[in-house]
Amino acid sequence: MTELRIAIVGFGKIARDQHVAAIAATPGATLAAIASRNASLPDLPHFATIEELLSKGPPIDAVSLCTPPQVRRAQAASALAAGKHVMLEKPPGVSVSELDPLIAQAERSKRTLFATWHSRYAPAVEPAREWLAARRISSVHISWKEDVRVWHPGQTWIWQPGGLGVFDPGINALSILTRIMPRPVFVTAATLSFPSNCEAPIAADLTLADATGLPITAEFDFRQTGPQSWDVIVETDGGRMTLSGGGRRMAVDGKVLSEAPDAEYRELYHRFVELAATGAADVDLSPFRLVADAFMLGKRTIVEPFVD
Amino acid sequence: MTELRIAIVGFGKIARDQHVAAIAATPGATLAAIASRNASLPDLPHFATIEELLSKGPPIDAVSLCTPPQVRRAQAASALAAGKHVMLEKPPGVSVSELDPLIAQAERSKRTLFATWHSRYAPAVEPAREWLAARRISSVHISWKEDVRVWHPGQTWIWQPGGLGVFDPGINALSILTRIMPRPVFVTAATLSFPSNCEAPIAADLTLADATGLPITAEFDFRQTGPQSWDVIVETDGGRMTLSGGGRRMAVDGKVLSEAPDAEYRELYHRFVELAATGAADVDLSPFRLVADAFMLGKRTIVEPFVD
């Protein structure tokens, strides 16, 4: 198999924290270049923009877009037009509808479009899904509470329109939920707390259901100091299943059934290499649609201003 | 052909203003019953709820849901479970995602699910679509401004979460736009004006585009007194096309090419009868997705309180 030569576009926190090491650890993938306004890596070709990368850069097969979601659609369209496979960080854009033309373009050009949901690749997610498939579920509660100052320091884009605020981590929880539930879920009510000086919510409470009326609640909060929580708790006829640590540990009635260290981004690149081999697409917009729905039907409350 | 026996569920303004007369004027359709908490028609069986209608009512083949969107999904699910065809007023619900289980249920039960967009059946919409298909479009502007006190008197649901506010008429414009444009469109920016005492916007400014970068703007306003506007203006290499009166009149450079009286709801029921004959579905969620996207990426501003 020939190597998939990948350029990272947008070299911010997530690219540095996760993508570089994940590409290095993935058989069949090579980091070939970086496009970023102001960051680079030693010994790697660097370009200020994706246009420069595509016109003057070394030969590449794919781009991994780690830029803020507000600019990703145009970059993905350029990359597909240049015949590259495209991997999108989450969320895949600023609107659900803007993905449609990209999906069509990828299909026409026989190139891979991969809208990633890294949390779905957390090690206990598949075990949880399989365990739940054989149980009767009576309720689900999600608690996703983290300190925005720790996890998103100085990321102003997150507070701008399209930045999603607390739904940036919250969509990880929704990507797990939509994967492990046996039936499609939808939002029935939401309360969104907007800081008086921000364009995106800092906290959100959601009520969801499936067609059988299953009660699902979710609390997202960016103001959590002290212990952080990334937990999904599912009550079933076989006991209480807890998927914690963002999908890394699964326990039933306190007994740990599955636990493994994080390898989410390596799994993502493994999948990307696999998809690109045939130009197949992997675009599931269901987590993003839940977020859009929550904004549409959510009740807004104004809370105290947020200062980073 | 046997008659399609239809029950109207929710007997508010739109049912009285449009549905009753449209059913009466549609060959193959008969109004067989009404379910409504507090309204009825002489000589027609009346039930307080859809559950009563389905369990104790006369034989019916279909329901037309004219209730507020907040309760429609559950009613549609009950009706499909009872083997009835279902027609949904617009918007088809309070969330885009809640339609998925209904679509699947309708398919399984081989019953029609018809998510209606009445404005698409305005007489000049198809002529506009055909005319535009042969032109190069350079810009689109939508002006959809009406007096909420005239068109939605006392409709408190419209200001509640899920009621959509000015997007209740605005979605009519988007249903026309998504029909007449040659390519899919998406929202790139929005400003939503929320009255300080309401849960839904009273005005909205949208910027949209398609994959070619076509500039599209839309102004929705519920505060319009005096002349009302329901216009789509499209600049093309063949002149300026104006689709006005909510889709009833099409003109190019001022010359009227198509104009006819309103028959939207008769066309809807004609289509419903046609679909129900084979149990086919007609659910296009693209206008609704644009609204959800606008809420998700829209900038919020607070404006003066609204008093009906």
Side-chain angles (χ1 to χ4, degrees):
Chain A
M1 190 171 79
T2 58
E3 294 278 301
L4 188 72
R5 295 162 300 182
I6 304 170
I8 292 179
V9 180
F11 204 63
K13 183 168 164 52
I14 194 68
R16 273 184 281 243
D17 287 359
Q18 295 285 356
H19 288 256
V20 173
I23 293 173
T26 303
T30 313
L31 181 55
I34 288 173
S36 167
R37 258 178 312 179
N38 34 36
S40 60
L41 273 186
D43 306 325
L44 262 190
H46 171 259
F47 305 88
T49 65
I50 190 171
E51 289 72 27
E52 268 191 47
L53 166 74
L54 293 172
S55 64
K56 302 181 195 161
I60 56 168
D61 308 299
V63 297
S64 178
L65 300 184
C66 302
T67 39
Q70 288 91 341
V71 298
R72 251 182 245 144
R73 189 204 64 80
Q75 294 178 335
S78 299
L80 288 170
K84 311 307 176 192
H85 303 291
V86 173
M87 174 162 151
L88 299 169
E89 251 294 351
K90 43 72 44 174
V94 290
S95 72
V96 179
S97 303
E98 72 180 351
L99 273 300
D100 280 353
L102 288 181
I103 293 167
Q105 188 184 356
E107 202 174 302
R108 277 197 311 273
S109 56
K110 299 185 170 47
R111 290 299 179 276
T112 287
L113 182 66
F114 182 21
T116 65
W117 301 110
H118 66 82
S119 290
R120 283 190 178 171
Y121 291 84
V125 169
E126 288 308 303
R129 188 178 71 80
E130 284 158 29
W131 190 86
L132 288 172
R135 303 299 183 300
R136 187 200 302 261
I137 300 172
S138 54
S139 74
V140 180
H141 181 69
I142 295 170
S143 174
W144 219 259
K145 298 179 177 183
E146 63 179 49
D147 187 342
V148 65
R149 291 185 176 86
V150 171
W151 302 100
H152 298 275
Q155 294 184 4
T156 52
W157 61 265
I158 219 166
W159 298 111
Q160 288 161 2
L164 298 190
V166 76
F167 284 96
D168 184 77
I171 205 169
N172 295 339
L174 297 174
S175 75
I176 291 177
L177 180 73
T178 47
R179 177 69 189 157
I180 65 176
M181 286 291 105
R183 281 174 296 275
V185 300
F186 48 88
V187 183
T188 60
T191 303
L192 312 178
S193 300
F194 285 76
S196 56
N197 63 338
C198 294
E199 292 294 335
I202 197 163
D205 287 301
L206 272 59
T207 307
L208 305 97
D210 68 6
T212 70
L214 177 68
I216 305 171
T217 51
E219 293 174 275
F220 301 152
D221 205 321
F222 247 163
R223 299 165 299 191
Q224 183 82 350
T225 53
Q228 310 279 291
S229 72
W230 297 283
D231 302 335
V232 181
I233 298 155
V234 186
E235 303 287 350
T236 79
D237 59 354
R240 168 185 294 188
M241 191 211 72
T242 308
L243 185 60
S244 54
R248 286 181 210 154
R249 189 171 53 255
M250 173 214 171
V252 174
D253 290 335
K255 189 179 167 216
V256 176
L257 299 190
S258 178
E259 183 167 23
D262 167 33
E264 294 172 22
Y265 279 82
R266 267 183 284 159
E267 295 290 335
L268 283 185
Y269 277 99
H270 177 78
R271 174 81 174 139
F272 190 35
V273 168
E274 189 179 83
L275 290 166
T278 62
D282 183 344
V283 182
D284 174 12
L285 300 180
S286 60
F288 203 23
R289 295 197 313 167
L290 293 177
V291 174
D293 283 342
F295 273 87
M296 180 164 64
L297 60 73
K299 193 174 161 67
R300 277 147 249 279
T301 61
I302 305 297
V303 297
E304 61 182 28
F306 171 76
V307 184
D308 201 355
Chain B
M1 191 171 78
T2 57
E3 293 277 302
L4 188 72
R5 296 163 297 182
I6 303 170
I8 292 179
V9 180
F11 205 64
K13 183 168 163 51
I14 195 68
R16 274 183 279 243
D17 287 359
Q18 295 285 356
H19 288 256
V20 173
I23 294 173
T26 303
T30 312
L31 181 54
I34 287 173
S36 168
R37 258 178 315 178
N38 33 37
S40 60
L41 274 185
D43 305 326
L44 262 190
H46 170 260
F47 305 87
T49 66
I50 189 171
E51 288 73 27
E52 267 191 49
L53 166 73
L54 294 172
S55 63
K56 303 182 197 163
I60 57 169
D61 307 298
V63 297
S64 177
L65 300 184
C66 301
T67 40
Q70 289 91 339
V71 299
R72 252 182 244 145
R73 189 204 63 81
Q75 293 177 336
S78 299
L80 288 170
K84 311 307 176 194
H85 303 291
V86 173
M87 175 162 151
L88 299 168
E89 250 294 351
K90 45 71 44 174
V94 290
S95 73
V96 179
S97 302
E98 72 181 351
L99 273 300
D100 280 354
L102 288 181
I103 293 167
Q105 188 185 356
E107 203 174 302
R108 278 196 311 273
S109 57
K110 298 184 169 50
R111 290 297 180 276
T112 287
L113 182 67
F114 182 22
T116 65
W117 301 109
H118 65 83
S119 289
R120 284 192 178 170
Y121 292 83
V125 169
E126 288 308 303
R129 188 178 72 82
E130 283 158 30
W131 190 86
L132 288 172
R135 303 297 182 299
R136 186 200 303 260
I137 301 172
S138 54
S139 74
V140 181
H141 181 69
I142 295 170
S143 174
W144 219 260
K145 299 179 176 182
E146 63 179 51
D147 187 342
V148 64
R149 292 185 176 86
V150 172
W151 301 100
H152 298 276
Q155 294 183 5
T156 52
W157 61 266
I158 217 166
W159 298 111
Q160 290 161 2
L164 298 189
V166 76
F167 283 96
D168 184 77
I171 205 168
N172 296 338
L174 297 174
S175 75
I176 291 176
L177 180 73
T178 48
R179 177 69 189 158
I180 65 175
M181 286 291 105
R183 280 173 297 276
V185 299
F186 48 88
V187 183
T188 60
T191 303
L192 313 177
S193 300
F194 285 77
S196 56
N197 62 339
C198 293
E199 293 294 334
I202 197 163
D205 286 301
L206 271 59
T207 307
L208 304 97
D210 68 6
T212 70
L214 176 69
I216 305 170
T217 51
E219 294 174 274
F220 301 153
D221 205 321
F222 247 165
R223 299 164 300 191
Q224 183 83 351
T225 51
Q228 311 279 292
S229 72
W230 297 282
D231 302 335
V232 181
I233 298 154
V234 186
E235 303 289 349
T236 79
D237 59 354
R240 169 184 292 188
M241 192 211 74
T242 308
L243 186 60
S244 54
R248 284 180 211 155
R249 188 172 52 255
M250 173 214 173
V252 174
D253 292 334
K255 190 181 166 213
V256 176
L257 299 190
S258 178
E259 183 167 21
D262 166 34
E264 295 173 21
Y265 278 83
R266 266 183 286 159
E267 295 291 336
L268 283 186
Y269 277 98
H270 178 79
R271 174 81 176 138
F272 190 35
V273 167
E274 188 178 82
L275 289 166
T278 62
D282 183 343
V283 182
D284 174 13
L285 299 180
S286 61
F288 203 23
R289 295 197 315 164
L290 293 176
V291 174
D293 283 343
F295 273 88
M296 180 163 63
L297 60 73
K299 194 175 160 65
R300 277 147 249 279
T301 61
I302 304 296
V303 297
E304 61 182 27
F306 171 76
V307 184
D308 201 356

